[in-house]
Amino acid sequence: MSSHLTAPAAIVLAAGQGTRMRSRIPKVLHPLAGRTLIDHVLDALSVAGIERPVVVTGHGADAVEDAIGSRAATVRQEQQRGTADAVRIGMGGLAGDADVVLVTMGDAPLQPAELYTALMAEQRRLGAPVVVVTARVEDATGYGRLVRGQDGAPAAIVEERDADEAIRAIREINVGTYAFDATWLRGALDRVSPSSSGEYYLTDLVAIAIGDGRPVGVVSAVYADDAIGINDRVALAAAEERMRRRIAEAHMRNGVTIVDPSTTRIDATVEIGQDARIEPWTILEGATVIAQDAVIGPNAHVRDSRIGPRTRVWASVLEESTVAEDVQVGPYAHLRPGSEVGPRCRIGNFAEIKKSRLGAGTQQHHFSYIGDADVGDNVNIGAGSVTANFDGTAKHRTIVRDRVKLGVDTMMVAPVTIGEGATTGAGSVVTRDVAPGKTVVGIPARPIELRRGAKPGAGAGSPGAGEAPVPSGADRNP
Ligand code: UD1
Ligand code: CA
């Protein structure tokens, strides 16, 4: 063996139709724990040190290639003429001079990186032209069987349709993942003849290697359920469960408490800091990042959001939002996309926020809606306060400065600005800007002293009495 080791290469087979999924979506694009099946395969290859694999596409090639982007090279197999044909086409897409070629399938998302590492190590140890991954299963129906000789050494892989009774009784199956000596593989692929159905079987390479008098290696998968590919949606759901458990265990080993892994769903893409605590019935999805010491759940659903240290999210839904440290969210809050909540805020009891920023120490509870708004520090948003941000055609912004107190049921008709330290009375409808420090009341909201001024005995020049409209500008810095 050469002392110079080149980087290993890999070919991922993904041209097949995946008929048993009964789907209009290509099989390898079905999601599993928040990522596509093929993404999981590419992730594991990457962890095993294989950076730019070649994916062989065919059915749904446009969509599959789009989804893969620059993660891997792709080559098309226009006609699915069998796995040997697919690998031959894949070889055409390999760059460089790899001495080992790993072949696996785009629908085997649970295969761990360690399996690939062990497979490549075994190939090098034996100097074998081919090493096959097998698994022992209860029901081998549909799989190629590994036939061993008297001495236990591998002799051939026989496909189900070509197998007799004795071979069908074998429980050791070919999972469809192999490591090949690259040079040998190039020559051997040309020696595969079509099967009775006209397909070119990659599995024929085992018998070809033995015919060449070369050793064939076998690596037995520790967990069969991780090794075998997904063929239908029942297998997809089973894989989801295994993947979820694996993700939860990785977080727990990293110092995250997951109180009840069986009712917790964490996508493969989520990051969680040390000593964070994930309470039962919680779903964490997409590009979510949970900082250390945060407590999420019970009953939280967080998607594509960042949660700061020590923040507590209880029975709430958060989408594409950022929440700073020491915040309390929930129960029953909804942070819609574009919400930014500052440190020490308290948000709960049917509070809804959308595309808005809340400064430090602000409180929002009790049936309130803040949309398209910029809210300062230490603002108290009274029960039922609402931004009327939409005039039927366009959305407008509301600005609420630091230390404003919004009375119960304040309606802010945007665009409008409420100045620093201002107060609104219960039920005010704020249609014009409020000066700093002012208290406004009524419908439409006007400075309280002008309203009082309407009473008998008030000075001349006071605006109209009672609820009569106040002349424009009367409330601006009077
Ligand atoms: C194949 C193996 C079988 C093994 C099983 C494991 C062969 C001949 N048989 O059988 O021993 O037990 O996988 O699942 O290889 N593909 C292409 N192009 C093709 C044909 C297939 O890209 O022309 C891809 C498919 O998308 C799939 C993989 O190769 O990802 C396996 O193909 P599939 O048709 O599932 O092979 P099986 O008949 O199940
Ligand atoms: Ca298959």
Side-chain angles (χ1 to χ4, degrees), residues 263-266 281-285 296 299-303:
T263 62
T264 305
R265 296 256 172 274
I266 304 173
W281 307 105
T282 290
I283 301 173
L284 306 178
E285 293 180 314
I296 314 296
N299 282 299
H301 188 169
V302 182
R303 176 173 66 75

Side-chain angles (χ1 to χ4, degrees), residues 12-18 20 27-28 56-59 77 79-87 89 103-108 133 140 142-146 157-161 173-178 199-204 227-231:
V12 180
L13 305 186
Q17 189 169 9
R20 280 171 284 171
K27 177 160 74 175
V28 298
V56 180
T57 62
H59 279 281
Q77 184 194 27
Q79 262 192 320
Q80 275 70 69
R81 299 196 303 158
T83 43
D85 179 64
V87 169
I89 290 168
V103 172
T104 189
M105 306 166 299
D107 60 6
V133 178
Y143 292 102
R145 313 295 206 282
L146 182 74
I157 294 172
V158 177
E159 292 305 301
E160 167 112 347
R161 58 185 84 98
I173 62 155
N174 167 37
V175 308
T177 296
Y178 322 79
E199 256 189 84
Y200 293 84
Y201 289 167
L202 187 62
T203 45
D204 284 357
I228 59 185
I230 288 170
N231 285 324

Side-chain angles (χ1 to χ4, degrees), residues 115-428:
L115 178 66
Y116 300 145
T117 311
L119 182 57
M120 292 186 290
E122 182 65 357
Q123 190 280 331
R124 288 192 199 281
R125 191 181 70 82
L126 294 173
V130 50
V131 179
V132 181
V133 178
T134 65
R136 289 179 189 281
V137 293
E138 282 299 304
D139 179 7
T141 310
Y143 292 102
R145 313 295 206 282
L146 182 74
V147 179
R148 293 176 181 264
Q150 300 287 350
D151 56 354
I157 294 172
V158 177
E159 292 305 301
E160 167 112 347
R161 58 185 84 98
D162 305 321
D164 59 22
E165 278 297 301
I167 290 177
R168 282 181 190 215
I170 296 172
R171 293 279 169 271
E172 186 177 18
I173 62 155
N174 167 37
V175 308
T177 296
Y178 322 79
F180 294 100
D181 174 296
T183 312
W184 180 84
L185 177 62
R186 271 179 218 283
L189 284 168
D190 293 335
R191 294 193 273 152
V192 174
S193 21
S195 71
S196 51
S197 63
E199 256 189 84
Y200 293 84
Y201 289 167
L202 187 62
T203 45
D204 284 357
L205 293 178
V206 169
I208 290 173
I210 287 159
D212 289 350
R214 305 281 306 275
V216 168
V218 174
V219 166
S220 278
V222 183
Y223 299 108
D225 290 341
D226 285 348
I228 59 185
I230 288 170
N231 285 324
D232 60 24
R233 299 200 203 214
V234 175
L236 182 64
E240 179 88 20
E241 199 178 322
R242 289 183 75 79
M243 181 61 86
R244 298 286 184 192
R245 180 160 300 273
R246 197 189 279 180
I247 293 166
E249 283 174 8
H251 286 297
M252 291 187 277
R253 288 186 208 293
N254 262 339
V256 174
T257 295
I258 299 179
V259 175
D260 181 11
S262 67
T263 62
T264 305
R265 296 256 172 274
I266 304 173
D267 277 358
T269 41
V270 171
E271 293 171 32
I272 310 179
Q274 194 178 29
D275 287 319
R277 180 181 173 91
I278 312 301
E279 298 274 1
W281 307 105
T282 290
I283 301 173
L284 306 178
E285 293 180 314
T288 290
V289 180
I290 310 288
Q292 54 187 32
D293 301 314
V295 179
I296 314 296
N299 282 299
H301 188 169
V302 182
R303 176 173 66 75
D304 296 324
S305 296
R306 302 182 74 89
I307 310 293
R310 298 173 302 279
T311 284
R312 169 89 203 251
V313 177
W314 173 22
S316 293
V317 177
L318 282 69
E319 314 167 75
E320 297 170 41
S321 292
T322 304
V323 180
E325 66 275 15
D326 301 303
V327 175
Q328 291 202 24
V329 179
Y332 317 120
H334 186 185
L335 272 56
R336 291 168 51 204
S339 301
E340 279 178 51
V341 175
R344 300 181 309 284
C345 284
R346 285 163 183 259
I347 314 292
N349 295 302
F350 304 100
E352 175 182 349
I353 308 175
K354 185 215 73 173
K355 256 194 208 161
S356 296
R357 190 191 72 87
L358 266 59
T362 286
Q363 305 219 13
Q364 183 188 356
H365 296 281
H366 326 300
F367 312 102
S368 154
Y369 172 57
I370 296 293
D372 301 302
D374 200 326
V375 179
D377 297 345
N378 300 307
V379 171
N380 191 75
I381 299 170
S385 291
V386 159
T387 51
N389 56 325
F390 187 54
D391 63 12
T393 320
K395 301 271 171 67
H396 300 284
R397 291 200 71 81
T398 298
I399 298 171
V400 181
R401 305 271 192 223
D402 295 349
R403 288 179 300 284
V404 165
K405 289 195 183 64
L406 298 174
V408 168
D409 257 333
T410 295
M411 187 179 300
M412 292 157 277
V413 183
V416 74
T417 297
I418 302 180
E420 187 172 339
T423 301
T424 63
S428 10

